[in-house]
Amino acid sequence: MSVRGLIEQWDISSGLVLTDLESKELLREAGIAVAETRAAASTDEAVTAAGAVDFPVLLRPVSRQRLLLDGGAALPLSSEADLRNAFPALLAQAKSWDAGVEALSVSKAPPPGVEVIVRLHQDPLFGSVLSFGYGKMAVEVWEDVAYRIVPLADKDAKLMIREPKGSRLLQGYGALPAPRASFLEEMLLNVSGLVHENPEIASLELFPVYAYREQALVAEARIELKEKD
């Protein structure tokens, strides 16, 4: 299904925050690489999903709220036994926080890479503005962020990933190999195009995104839709 087809299938008359699964589906249609993710409402379904995406896996609530589970949700599960042990408790915990939760997402745990964050917000003066930084602490604590108004030109994407001080990570750090900058530039341009062509996208957060030599991969995504003005 196309991006337009996906957006038109949702009721966004009063605003809608997409789940991680829905957000990734939208991003995938826009040509943005996302971690393979499936929904599971039972332990057996989770085992089947893990077999499809391959271990190790991460579990997260399928919710329109921002829920963080302790322990197992954040730690990769490396075997079927670990998954069967963790799934029921995590699902019950998620349901206790959000009665609307009926399933957990099962996603392939990405290997270590350079971690970046991409956000979109609406500015009353400039409209849609993208921000980019290296890691959540750098963005939220040190405000080491680059901003650009949508739509981005090729030059904007090139400068945006190099402006933050964290761009030193493009040279690699410790055991992390240097990622290929062109994949980050391409991702930003694709996100810009998605937002520019679909004004219903009110906000967006892609975090974490892992940058590698072979791709930039979105591990988690959160998109909010509203009727366009």
Side-chain angles (χ1 to χ4, degrees), residues 79-111:
S79 69
E80 179 178 333
D82 290 341
L83 179 57
R84 287 189 178 278
N85 182 58
F87 187 91
L90 292 174
L91 181 58
Q93 186 178 6
K95 287 182 176 180
S96 72
W97 292 344
D98 177 3
V101 172
E102 297 181 353
L104 299 182
S105 67
V106 182
S107 60
K108 171 72 174 176

PDB file of all heavy atoms in Angstrom, residues 79-111:
ATOM      1  N   SER A  79      16.930 -16.245  23.153  1.00  0.00           N
ATOM      2  CA  SER A  79      16.503 -17.626  22.932  1.00  0.00           C
ATOM      3  C   SER A  79      15.003 -17.761  23.114  1.00  0.00           C
ATOM      4  O   SER A  79      14.347 -16.896  23.713  1.00  0.00           O
ATOM      5  CB  SER A  79      17.213 -18.573  23.905  1.00  0.00           C
ATOM      6  OG  SER A  79      16.744 -18.361  25.231  1.00  0.00           O
ATOM      7  N   GLU A  80      14.441 -18.861  22.623  1.00  0.00           N
ATOM      8  CA  GLU A  80      13.016 -19.124  22.784  1.00  0.00           C
ATOM      9  C   GLU A  80      12.659 -19.248  24.260  1.00  0.00           C
ATOM     10  O   GLU A  80      11.593 -18.775  24.691  1.00  0.00           O
ATOM     11  CB  GLU A  80      12.618 -20.394  22.036  1.00  0.00           C
ATOM     12  CG  GLU A  80      11.143 -20.735  22.176  1.00  0.00           C
ATOM     13  CD  GLU A  80      10.736 -21.971  21.391  1.00  0.00           C
ATOM     14  OE1 GLU A  80      11.384 -22.291  20.378  1.00  0.00           O
ATOM     15  OE2 GLU A  80       9.749 -22.625  21.811  1.00  0.00           O
ATOM     16  N   ALA A  81      13.529 -19.865  25.033  1.00  0.00           N
ATOM     17  CA  ALA A  81      13.259 -20.018  26.462  1.00  0.00           C
ATOM     18  C   ALA A  81      13.160 -18.659  27.145  1.00  0.00           C
ATOM     19  O   ALA A  81      12.260 -18.412  27.964  1.00  0.00           O
ATOM     20  CB  ALA A  81      14.349 -20.864  27.114  1.00  0.00           C
ATOM     21  N   ASP A  82      14.077 -17.750  26.826  1.00  0.00           N
ATOM     22  CA  ASP A  82      14.026 -16.402  27.392  1.00  0.00           C
ATOM     23  C   ASP A  82      12.735 -15.692  26.998  1.00  0.00           C
ATOM     24  O   ASP A  82      12.104 -15.015  27.808  1.00  0.00           O
ATOM     25  CB  ASP A  82      15.225 -15.580  26.911  1.00  0.00           C
ATOM     26  CG  ASP A  82      16.541 -16.054  27.505  1.00  0.00           C
ATOM     27  OD1 ASP A  82      16.507 -16.755  28.539  1.00  0.00           O
ATOM     28  OD2 ASP A  82      17.598 -15.724  26.932  1.00  0.00           O
ATOM     29  N   LEU A  83      12.348 -15.871  25.745  1.00  0.00           N
ATOM     30  CA  LEU A  83      11.147 -15.218  25.243  1.00  0.00           C
ATOM     31  C   LEU A  83       9.895 -15.750  25.936  1.00  0.00           C
ATOM     32  O   LEU A  83       9.021 -14.981  26.357  1.00  0.00           O
ATOM     33  CB  LEU A  83      11.052 -15.424  23.728  1.00  0.00           C
ATOM     34  CG  LEU A  83       9.847 -14.823  23.008  1.00  0.00           C
ATOM     35  CD1 LEU A  83       9.772 -13.325  23.247  1.00  0.00           C
ATOM     36  CD2 LEU A  83       9.916 -15.130  21.517  1.00  0.00           C
ATOM     37  N   ARG A  84       9.804 -17.072  26.058  1.00  0.00           N
ATOM     38  CA  ARG A  84       8.630 -17.669  26.722  1.00  0.00           C
ATOM     39  C   ARG A  84       8.556 -17.257  28.187  1.00  0.00           C
ATOM     40  O   ARG A  84       7.458 -17.100  28.745  1.00  0.00           O
ATOM     41  CB  ARG A  84       8.698 -19.199  26.596  1.00  0.00           C
ATOM     42  CG  ARG A  84       8.393 -19.708  25.195  1.00  0.00           C
ATOM     43  CD  ARG A  84       8.258 -21.225  25.162  1.00  0.00           C
ATOM     44  NE  ARG A  84       7.916 -21.710  23.831  1.00  0.00           N
ATOM     45  CZ  ARG A  84       6.678 -21.728  23.332  1.00  0.00           C
ATOM     46  NH1 ARG A  84       5.663 -21.299  24.088  1.00  0.00           N
ATOM     47  NH2 ARG A  84       6.439 -22.166  22.119  1.00  0.00           N
ATOM     48  N   ASN A  85       9.680 -17.051  28.795  1.00  0.00           N
ATOM     49  CA  ASN A  85       9.698 -16.648  30.197  1.00  0.00           C
ATOM     50  C   ASN A  85       9.301 -15.183  30.371  1.00  0.00           C
ATOM     51  O   ASN A  85       8.599 -14.824  31.326  1.00  0.00           O
ATOM     52  CB  ASN A  85      11.101 -16.878  30.775  1.00  0.00           C
ATOM     53  CG  ASN A  85      11.174 -16.527  32.249  1.00  0.00           C
ATOM     54  OD1 ASN A  85      10.446 -17.081  33.064  1.00  0.00           O
ATOM     55  ND2 ASN A  85      12.060 -15.591  32.582  1.00  0.00           N
ATOM     56  N   ALA A  86       9.712 -14.339  29.444  1.00  0.00           N
ATOM     57  CA  ALA A  86       9.510 -12.902  29.596  1.00  0.00           C
ATOM     58  C   ALA A  86       8.161 -12.420  29.075  1.00  0.00           C
ATOM     59  O   ALA A  86       7.578 -11.483  29.650  1.00  0.00           O
ATOM     60  CB  ALA A  86      10.623 -12.139  28.875  1.00  0.00           C
ATOM     61  N   PHE A  87       7.650 -13.016  28.014  1.00  0.00           N
ATOM     62  CA  PHE A  87       6.496 -12.460  27.315  1.00  0.00           C
ATOM     63  C   PHE A  87       5.258 -12.284  28.200  1.00  0.00           C
ATOM     64  O   PHE A  87       4.668 -11.184  28.228  1.00  0.00           O
ATOM     65  CB  PHE A  87       6.149 -13.312  26.085  1.00  0.00           C
ATOM     66  CG  PHE A  87       5.073 -12.707  25.225  1.00  0.00           C
ATOM     67  CD1 PHE A  87       5.402 -11.870  24.178  1.00  0.00           C
ATOM     68  CD2 PHE A  87       3.726 -12.965  25.462  1.00  0.00           C
ATOM     69  CE1 PHE A  87       4.422 -11.288  23.382  1.00  0.00           C
ATOM     70  CE2 PHE A  87       2.741 -12.392  24.685  1.00  0.00           C
ATOM     71  CZ  PHE A  87       3.089 -11.551  23.638  1.00  0.00           C
ATOM     72  N   PRO A  88       4.798 -13.313  28.934  1.00  0.00           N
ATOM     73  CA  PRO A  88       3.547 -13.144  29.699  1.00  0.00           C
ATOM     74  C   PRO A  88       3.618 -12.011  30.720  1.00  0.00           C
ATOM     75  O   PRO A  88       2.669 -11.228  30.858  1.00  0.00           O
ATOM     76  CB  PRO A  88       3.370 -14.506  30.384  1.00  0.00           C
ATOM     77  CG  PRO A  88       4.151 -15.464  29.547  1.00  0.00           C
ATOM     78  CD  PRO A  88       5.328 -14.690  29.069  1.00  0.00           C
ATOM     79  N   ALA A  89       4.727 -11.905  31.430  1.00  0.00           N
ATOM     80  CA  ALA A  89       4.853 -10.863  32.457  1.00  0.00           C
ATOM     81  C   ALA A  89       4.894  -9.474  31.833  1.00  0.00           C
ATOM     82  O   ALA A  89       4.284  -8.527  32.349  1.00  0.00           O
ATOM     83  CB  ALA A  89       6.106 -11.104  33.290  1.00  0.00           C
ATOM     84  N   LEU A  90       5.598  -9.340  30.709  1.00  0.00           N
ATOM     85  CA  LEU A  90       5.689  -8.042  30.060  1.00  0.00           C
ATOM     86  C   LEU A  90       4.347  -7.611  29.483  1.00  0.00           C
ATOM     87  O   LEU A  90       3.968  -6.435  29.561  1.00  0.00           O
ATOM     88  CB  LEU A  90       6.751  -8.087  28.964  1.00  0.00           C
ATOM     89  CG  LEU A  90       8.190  -8.233  29.447  1.00  0.00           C
ATOM     90  CD1 LEU A  90       9.132  -8.423  28.274  1.00  0.00           C
ATOM     91  CD2 LEU A  90       8.605  -7.021  30.265  1.00  0.00           C
ATOM     92  N   LEU A  91       3.601  -8.540  28.915  1.00  0.00           N
ATOM     93  CA  LEU A  91       2.285  -8.209  28.372  1.00  0.00           C
ATOM     94  C   LEU A  91       1.336  -7.799  29.499  1.00  0.00           C
ATOM     95  O   LEU A  91       0.596  -6.811  29.380  1.00  0.00           O
ATOM     96  CB  LEU A  91       1.712  -9.387  27.593  1.00  0.00           C
ATOM     97  CG  LEU A  91       0.346  -9.164  26.947  1.00  0.00           C
ATOM     98  CD1 LEU A  91       0.380  -7.973  25.988  1.00  0.00           C
ATOM     99  CD2 LEU A  91      -0.112 -10.426  26.210  1.00  0.00           C
ATOM    100  N   ALA A  92       1.373  -8.533  30.610  1.00  0.00           N
ATOM    101  CA  ALA A  92       0.520  -8.190  31.745  1.00  0.00           C
ATOM    102  C   ALA A  92       0.877  -6.817  32.302  1.00  0.00           C
ATOM    103  O   ALA A  92      -0.001  -6.031  32.671  1.00  0.00           O
ATOM    104  CB  ALA A  92       0.654  -9.253  32.830  1.00  0.00           C
ATOM    105  N   GLN A  93       2.163  -6.521  32.372  1.00  0.00           N
ATOM    106  CA  GLN A  93       2.606  -5.226  32.876  1.00  0.00           C
ATOM    107  C   GLN A  93       2.126  -4.103  31.961  1.00  0.00           C
ATOM    108  O   GLN A  93       1.640  -3.064  32.422  1.00  0.00           O
ATOM    109  CB  GLN A  93       4.127  -5.196  32.988  1.00  0.00           C
ATOM    110  CG  GLN A  93       4.670  -3.946  33.644  1.00  0.00           C
ATOM    111  CD  GLN A  93       6.186  -3.986  33.773  1.00  0.00           C
ATOM    112  OE1 GLN A  93       6.830  -4.908  33.267  1.00  0.00           O
ATOM    113  NE2 GLN A  93       6.743  -3.014  34.447  1.00  0.00           N
ATOM    114  N   ALA A  94       2.246  -4.303  30.653  1.00  0.00           N
ATOM    115  CA  ALA A  94       1.804  -3.290  29.696  1.00  0.00           C
ATOM    116  C   ALA A  94       0.303  -3.059  29.801  1.00  0.00           C
ATOM    117  O   ALA A  94      -0.172  -1.918  29.758  1.00  0.00           O
ATOM    118  CB  ALA A  94       2.180  -3.705  28.285  1.00  0.00           C
ATOM    119  N   LYS A  95      -0.464  -4.130  29.958  1.00  0.00           N
ATOM    120  CA  LYS A  95      -1.926  -4.007  30.087  1.00  0.00           C
ATOM    121  C   LYS A  95      -2.309  -3.252  31.354  1.00  0.00           C
ATOM    122  O   LYS A  95      -3.314  -2.540  31.381  1.00  0.00           O
ATOM    123  CB  LYS A  95      -2.566  -5.394  30.076  1.00  0.00           C
ATOM    124  CG  LYS A  95      -2.577  -6.068  28.708  1.00  0.00           C
ATOM    125  CD  LYS A  95      -3.274  -7.421  28.777  1.00  0.00           C
ATOM    126  CE  LYS A  95      -3.387  -8.050  27.400  1.00  0.00           C
ATOM    127  NZ  LYS A  95      -4.066  -9.375  27.459  1.00  0.00           N
ATOM    128  N   SER A  96      -1.516  -3.398  32.408  1.00  0.00           N
ATOM    129  CA  SER A  96      -1.826  -2.693  33.656  1.00  0.00           C
ATOM    130  C   SER A  96      -1.616  -1.195  33.511  1.00  0.00           C
ATOM    131  O   SER A  96      -2.220  -0.409  34.249  1.00  0.00           O
ATOM    132  CB  SER A  96      -0.951  -3.239  34.793  1.00  0.00           C
ATOM    133  OG  SER A  96       0.404  -2.819  34.656  1.00  0.00           O
ATOM    134  N   TRP A  97      -0.778  -0.785  32.583  1.00  0.00           N
ATOM    135  CA  TRP A  97      -0.515   0.635  32.351  1.00  0.00           C
ATOM    136  C   TRP A  97      -1.433   1.233  31.298  1.00  0.00           C
ATOM    137  O   TRP A  97      -1.730   2.413  31.327  1.00  0.00           O
ATOM    138  CB  TRP A  97       0.943   0.837  31.922  1.00  0.00           C
ATOM    139  CG  TRP A  97       1.922   0.544  33.007  1.00  0.00           C
ATOM    140  CD1 TRP A  97       1.662   0.433  34.346  1.00  0.00           C
ATOM    141  CD2 TRP A  97       3.321   0.334  32.866  1.00  0.00           C
ATOM    142  NE1 TRP A  97       2.811   0.165  35.045  1.00  0.00           N
ATOM    143  CE2 TRP A  97       3.857   0.099  34.155  1.00  0.00           C
ATOM    144  CE3 TRP A  97       4.177   0.312  31.784  1.00  0.00           C
ATOM    145  CZ2 TRP A  97       5.198  -0.150  34.375  1.00  0.00           C
ATOM    146  CZ3 TRP A  97       5.523   0.066  31.999  1.00  0.00           C
ATOM    147  CH2 TRP A  97       6.030  -0.161  33.285  1.00  0.00           C
ATOM    148  N   ASP A  98      -1.855   0.401  30.349  1.00  0.00           N
ATOM    149  CA  ASP A  98      -2.695   0.870  29.245  1.00  0.00           C
ATOM    150  C   ASP A  98      -3.662  -0.246  28.894  1.00  0.00           C
ATOM    151  O   ASP A  98      -3.272  -1.265  28.312  1.00  0.00           O
ATOM    152  CB  ASP A  98      -1.825   1.240  28.040  1.00  0.00           C
ATOM    153  CG  ASP A  98      -2.651   1.671  26.832  1.00  0.00           C
ATOM    154  OD1 ASP A  98      -3.887   1.741  26.944  1.00  0.00           O
ATOM    155  OD2 ASP A  98      -2.056   1.925  25.766  1.00  0.00           O
ATOM    156  N   ALA A  99      -4.935  -0.050  29.236  1.00  0.00           N
ATOM    157  CA  ALA A  99      -5.942  -1.093  29.019  1.00  0.00           C
ATOM    158  C   ALA A  99      -6.115  -1.418  27.542  1.00  0.00           C
ATOM    159  O   ALA A  99      -6.648  -2.474  27.196  1.00  0.00           O
ATOM    160  CB  ALA A  99      -7.280  -0.664  29.614  1.00  0.00           C
ATOM    161  N   GLY A 100      -5.660  -0.530  26.667  1.00  0.00           N
ATOM    162  CA  GLY A 100      -5.799  -0.766  25.238  1.00  0.00           C
ATOM    163  C   GLY A 100      -4.746  -1.695  24.657  1.00  0.00           C
ATOM    164  O   GLY A 100      -4.852  -2.105  23.498  1.00  0.00           O
ATOM    165  N   VAL A 101      -3.727  -2.046  25.421  1.00  0.00           N
ATOM    166  CA  VAL A 101      -2.673  -2.927  24.923  1.00  0.00           C
ATOM    167  C   VAL A 101      -3.183  -4.359  24.835  1.00  0.00           C
ATOM    168  O   VAL A 101      -3.670  -4.917  25.818  1.00  0.00           O
ATOM    169  CB  VAL A 101      -1.421  -2.872  25.834  1.00  0.00           C
ATOM    170  CG1 VAL A 101      -0.413  -3.943  25.415  1.00  0.00           C
ATOM    171  CG2 VAL A 101      -0.785  -1.495  25.772  1.00  0.00           C
ATOM    172  N   GLU A 102      -3.074  -4.943  23.657  1.00  0.00           N
ATOM    173  CA  GLU A 102      -3.483  -6.335  23.464  1.00  0.00           C
ATOM    174  C   GLU A 102      -2.351  -7.196  22.934  1.00  0.00           C
ATOM    175  O   GLU A 102      -2.499  -8.411  22.803  1.00  0.00           O
ATOM    176  CB  GLU A 102      -4.674  -6.401  22.503  1.00  0.00           C
ATOM    177  CG  GLU A 102      -5.924  -5.701  23.032  1.00  0.00           C
ATOM    178  CD  GLU A 102      -7.091  -5.811  22.078  1.00  0.00           C
ATOM    179  OE1 GLU A 102      -6.891  -6.320  20.951  1.00  0.00           O
ATOM    180  OE2 GLU A 102      -8.205  -5.399  22.453  1.00  0.00           O
ATOM    181  N   ALA A 103      -1.223  -6.562  22.621  1.00  0.00           N
ATOM    182  CA  ALA A 103      -0.113  -7.312  22.028  1.00  0.00           C
ATOM    183  C   ALA A 103       1.198  -6.603  22.315  1.00  0.00           C
ATOM    184  O   ALA A 103       1.229  -5.426  22.706  1.00  0.00           O
ATOM    185  CB  ALA A 103      -0.317  -7.453  20.517  1.00  0.00           C
ATOM    186  N   LEU A 104       2.279  -7.344  22.132  1.00  0.00           N
ATOM    187  CA  LEU A 104       3.624  -6.781  22.174  1.00  0.00           C
ATOM    188  C   LEU A 104       4.222  -6.892  20.781  1.00  0.00           C
ATOM    189  O   LEU A 104       3.917  -7.823  20.029  1.00  0.00           O
ATOM    190  CB  LEU A 104       4.510  -7.534  23.164  1.00  0.00           C
ATOM    191  CG  LEU A 104       4.109  -7.552  24.632  1.00  0.00           C
ATOM    192  CD1 LEU A 104       5.146  -8.322  25.451  1.00  0.00           C
ATOM    193  CD2 LEU A 104       3.940  -6.144  25.193  1.00  0.00           C
ATOM    194  N   SER A 105       5.061  -5.944  20.444  1.00  0.00           N
ATOM    195  CA  SER A 105       5.794  -6.058  19.187  1.00  0.00           C
ATOM    196  C   SER A 105       7.062  -6.872  19.423  1.00  0.00           C
ATOM    197  O   SER A 105       7.674  -6.804  20.495  1.00  0.00           O
ATOM    198  CB  SER A 105       6.145  -4.679  18.624  1.00  0.00           C
ATOM    199  OG  SER A 105       7.082  -4.022  19.458  1.00  0.00           O
ATOM    200  N   VAL A 106       7.416  -7.651  18.435  1.00  0.00           N
ATOM    201  CA  VAL A 106       8.640  -8.461  18.467  1.00  0.00           C
ATOM    202  C   VAL A 106       9.515  -7.963  17.329  1.00  0.00           C
ATOM    203  O   VAL A 106       9.143  -8.078  16.150  1.00  0.00           O
ATOM    204  CB  VAL A 106       8.330  -9.961  18.279  1.00  0.00           C
ATOM    205  CG1 VAL A 106       9.616 -10.786  18.363  1.00  0.00           C
ATOM    206  CG2 VAL A 106       7.318 -10.427  19.315  1.00  0.00           C
ATOM    207  N   SER A 107      10.642  -7.387  17.661  1.00  0.00           N
ATOM    208  CA  SER A 107      11.508  -6.833  16.626  1.00  0.00           C
ATOM    209  C   SER A 107      12.917  -7.379  16.756  1.00  0.00           C
ATOM    210  O   SER A 107      13.386  -7.700  17.856  1.00  0.00           O
ATOM    211  CB  SER A 107      11.543  -5.300  16.692  1.00  0.00           C
ATOM    212  OG  SER A 107      12.027  -4.853  17.932  1.00  0.00           O
ATOM    213  N   LYS A 108      13.565  -7.478  15.623  1.00  0.00           N
ATOM    214  CA  LYS A 108      14.959  -7.896  15.595  1.00  0.00           C
ATOM    215  C   LYS A 108      15.814  -6.866  16.320  1.00  0.00           C
ATOM    216  O   LYS A 108      15.745  -5.669  16.040  1.00  0.00           O
ATOM    217  CB  LYS A 108      15.425  -8.029  14.142  1.00  0.00           C
ATOM    218  CG  LYS A 108      16.915  -8.251  13.950  1.00  0.00           C
ATOM    219  CD  LYS A 108      17.334  -9.636  14.369  1.00  0.00           C
ATOM    220  CE  LYS A 108      18.811  -9.890  14.025  1.00  0.00           C
ATOM    221  NZ  LYS A 108      19.272 -11.205  14.518  1.00  0.00           N
ATOM    222  N   ALA A 109      16.595  -7.302  17.302  1.00  0.00           N
ATOM    223  CA  ALA A 109      17.468  -6.377  18.035  1.00  0.00           C
ATOM    224  C   ALA A 109      18.627  -5.961  17.132  1.00  0.00           C
ATOM    225  O   ALA A 109      19.409  -6.811  16.695  1.00  0.00           O
ATOM    226  CB  ALA A 109      18.007  -7.046  19.297  1.00  0.00           C
ATOM    227  N   PRO A 110      18.756  -4.677  16.812  1.00  0.00           N
ATOM    228  CA  PRO A 110      19.831  -4.248  15.912  1.00  0.00           C
ATOM    229  C   PRO A 110      21.198  -4.429  16.567  1.00  0.00           C
ATOM    230  O   PRO A 110      21.337  -4.282  17.784  1.00  0.00           O
ATOM    231  CB  PRO A 110      19.532  -2.763  15.686  1.00  0.00           C
ATOM    232  CG  PRO A 110      18.115  -2.569  16.116  1.00  0.00           C
ATOM    233  CD  PRO A 110      17.888  -3.567  17.207  1.00  0.00           C
ATOM    234  N   PRO A 111      22.212  -4.726  15.793  1.00  0.00           N
ATOM    235  CA  PRO A 111      23.576  -4.773  16.349  1.00  0.00           C
ATOM    236  C   PRO A 111      24.033  -3.376  16.726  1.00  0.00           C
ATOM    237  O   PRO A 111      23.429  -2.375  16.301  1.00  0.00           O
ATOM    238  CB  PRO A 111      24.406  -5.339  15.187  1.00  0.00           C
ATOM    239  CG  PRO A 111      23.620  -5.014  13.959  1.00  0.00           C
ATOM    240  CD  PRO A 111      22.181  -5.057  14.355  1.00  0.00           C
TER     241      PRO A 111
END
